[in-house]
Amino acid sequence: MPPLNDEAIVLRTTDFSETSMVVTFFTRENGKVTCLAKGARRLKNPFDTSLDAMNICRILYYPKIGDVLQLVTEAKLTERFRVDSTTAIYAGFHVVQLLNHFTENFNPQSALFDLTKNVLKDILLLDSICRTSSLDNPPEKLSRCLFHYELRLMSLSGLAPSFHECVGCSEKVEIRRGARRVAFGMRDGGVLCPRCRPGRMNVVSLSPEALGAFQLLASADERYWRRLQLSQKTLGEIRGLWNQYLAYQMERPVPILHWLKR
Ligand SMILES: [Zn+2]
């Protein structure tokens, strides 16, 4: 098979031998690929410094469908993920770890590629304001970008919960002024109307503000979530529920999520 030239995001790297590395990429045209990068650990190597997590590069690789490892022979850096704040680094790792978890080898998802490229760009732009904030209190703007990313990632993976219609009967769940809390079924994957609520397991409740925030953050239309301004209280509430939902979908505890309290 001839080599493929593809735009790629570096998800993770592990040392393979004294001179080589195994690199997991998420490529635009072919989805996730795991490659052997021969000589990548040598001082002088053909990859230079492009193979760091969250970097975006153009790679040349030889696909061997069915094999676990492909062979990458070139990587040219197009966008370096260079940030100074710990919060921004954590945010970047958070993004690539989730992406790695919810994607499969050779399953092209170009919309997900573009979404990830955009959120990494957002994190780079927010690095300067992250420098003045602490790790457990990230800037509101960063929290919003990460929420939008996570919600869209789940949506593009077919795992998004329903925030608009009851998962039991498809009735529209309206948020009215002075409305009471709304039931959310972790196992059912979405909101439940008062008629469908009884007898369900693993149900938590959401304030109307939190439900409204989820609905806007999950929108693919930038106008809905970029202009939002969320209170600490709402951010804390939606992060609590969302981390539980993600852990549920990932079927195991998620260490990377512990730092995100809002
Ligand atoms: Zn219902």
Side-chain angles (χ1 to χ4, degrees):
M1 230 176 164
L4 294 175
N5 185 325
D6 212 339
E7 195 178 7
I9 299 166
V10 180
L11 300 187
R12 58 174 295 190
T13 61
T14 38
D15 293 342
F16 182 74
S17 67
E18 250 171 57
T19 55
S20 301
M21 264 186 342
V22 170
V23 188
T24 307
F25 296 101
F26 187 65
T27 67
R28 190 166 198 285
E29 307 299 330
N30 295 288
K32 189 161 77 179
V33 291
T34 306
C35 298
L36 181 65
K38 283 186 182 167
R41 298 190 65 206
R42 286 187 207 279
L43 213 52
K44 273 196 122 186
N45 71 69
F47 308 103
D48 203 7
T49 54
S50 53
L51 299 181
D52 288 329
M54 286 87 81
N55 279 352
I56 297 169
C57 37
R58 278 218 83 90
I59 61 168
L60 195 71
Y61 69 102
Y62 289 82
K64 288 188 273 178
I65 313 286
D67 274 19
V68 181
L69 279 184
Q70 324 302 316
L71 185 68
V72 62
T73 53
E74 267 180 61
K76 213 168 168 230
L77 188 70
T78 52
E79 179 112 42
R80 184 185 300 285
F81 189 83
R82 176 179 276 159
V83 291
D84 290 324
S85 70
T86 318
T87 306
I89 293 170
Y90 265 64
F93 273 116
H94 178 70
V95 164
V96 292
Q97 284 206 14
L98 283 179
L99 183 62
N100 192 22
H101 185 91
F102 287 106
T103 46
E104 283 163 20
N105 288 342
F106 290 108
N107 179 19
Q109 287 169 282
S110 55
L112 187 51
F113 182 91
D114 295 340
L115 180 79
T116 308
K117 205 174 152 182
N118 284 342
V119 75
L120 291 175
K121 201 184 279 173
D122 280 332
I123 298 171
L124 280 173
L125 290 172
L126 291 170
D127 181 40
S128 55
I129 61 163
C130 284
R131 264 180 261 163
T132 56
S133 69
S134 67
L135 197 55
D136 50 7
N137 191 20
E140 186 262 353
K141 229 173 176 175
L142 178 72
S143 302
R144 225 185 318 133
C145 287
L146 291 177
F147 268 121
H148 173 72
Y149 177 74
E150 291 164 37
L151 287 156
R152 294 293 304 146
L153 165 69
M154 297 307 269
S155 170
L156 291 168
S157 309
L159 298 167
S162 169
F163 290 116
H164 290 275
E165 287 156 9
C166 168
V167 281
C169 66
S170 303
E171 190 183 89
K172 225 171 159 42
V173 175
E174 306 271 9
I175 309 169
R176 293 193 193 88
R177 190 185 280 268
R180 280 194 282 170
R181 295 177 76 87
V182 180
F184 181 94
M186 284 287 166
R187 189 180 288 182
D188 297 291
V191 287
L192 288 159
C193 76
R195 276 192 313 275
C196 298
R197 161 74 186 84
R200 306 265 180 168
M201 306 279 281
N202 237 317
V203 177
V204 294
S205 85
L206 267 176
S207 69
E209 295 79 26
L211 178 61
F214 270 129
Q215 290 178 345
L216 295 172
L217 287 164
S219 170
D221 190 333
E222 292 216 343
R223 286 172 299 177
Y224 288 108
W225 64 274
R226 287 242 183 237
R227 291 182 201 159
L228 268 176
Q229 183 87 46
L230 297 171
S231 68
Q232 296 245 14
K233 189 168 168 261
T234 304
L235 277 172
E237 185 185 348
I238 60 177
R239 181 48 75 186
L241 182 139
W242 187 243
N243 278 8
Q244 260 190 70
Y245 183 78
L246 276 182
Y248 200 81
Q249 292 297 331
M250 292 169 100
E251 292 167 344
R252 60 181 162 85
V254 192
I256 194 75
L257 290 177
H258 289 317
W259 74 283
L260 269 177
K261 303 276 188 285
R262 46 164 284 192

